[in-house]
Amino acid sequence: MIIALISIGIIAVCLLLGLLKTALTSLGVNKVAMVIILAVLVGSVFVPYINILGVRFGVAGFILPVIIMGILDFRMGLNREFFLNKLSATIIMAVVLPILLFAFGMNFATTALVTIGISVIVAVIAFMVTKTYSSAVSSVLGGIVVADVVANLIAFFVNGNAILIGSDNVFGLIMISLLMCGVGIQFFASIREKFVSTSVNRRQLSSEEAEENEIDGQYFDEYFTNHNEEK
């Protein structure tokens, strides 16, 4: 829970500083809507697990991510980006599954380090495979949620462990992964903006130099024409 709340706090600070402008634009939401979403996520952390037939579900770590993923997928539609999204989610699931099986459940420091490390890998996979931030968010949610479900089923059938889908640790992994995605897209957008700005400036300089050369050529043509007429 602590990791998730810290990540939500960092996201809130980034929003206030305007560091996630590109991410918000891609999601199609404004700052107010994002603050409301974050408030709902914070509140959901303290909601007790929902018990259905002996299986416990976390509101913050499972139910809300599934709802958000469904909305994003519906907006995306059935197109090429949708299939890239599911490819990304499958790769993320394969990467996250061993972590959930063997690395989680240790002491806080180890869990925190593993969470940060794997979230960076998840964000990189999402951006390499998908094309937009909203698609990356959907693939991150889908990949981690499915990995969590599979990990719980394996633990149940192998060790007889109780099934807890959407635990606090999983919610923390989701939030830090989304934070990394948001920071990543803002970083690449800034680089692209600088690159485009540099290219435009170079074109303008080239155009101005061409105009100056044309003016100089006209000047010399007029000079030699007048000089020959005087002769």
Side-chain angles (χ1 to χ4, degrees), residues 198-209:
T198 302
S199 299
V200 171
N201 291 335
R202 287 179 178 176
R203 290 178 183 176
Q204 289 178 346
L205 288 174
S206 299
S207 177
E208 291 173 358
E209 289 176 356

Side-chain angles (χ1 to χ4, degrees), residues 161-219:
N161 296 349
I163 299 179
L164 171 56
I165 300 175
S167 65
D168 292 338
N169 287 337
V170 171
F171 178 58
L173 176 59
I174 289 174
M175 293 309 302
I176 294 182
S177 297
L178 296 182
L179 174 62
M180 294 297 178
C181 285
V183 173
I185 192 174
Q186 192 66 45
F187 175 73
F188 287 117
S190 300
I191 292 178
R192 183 187 178 193
E193 185 178 350
K194 290 181 180 179
F195 178 78
V196 171
S197 178
T198 302
S199 299
V200 171
N201 291 335
R202 287 179 178 176
R203 290 178 183 176
Q204 289 178 346
L205 288 174
S206 299
S207 177
E208 291 173 358
E209 289 176 356
E211 291 178 358
E212 290 177 358
N213 291 334
E214 184 178 353
I215 293 173
D216 291 340
Q218 292 176 354
Y219 171 78

Side-chain angles (χ1 to χ4, degrees), residues 84-85 106:
L84 289 176
N85 172 287
M106 300 181 182

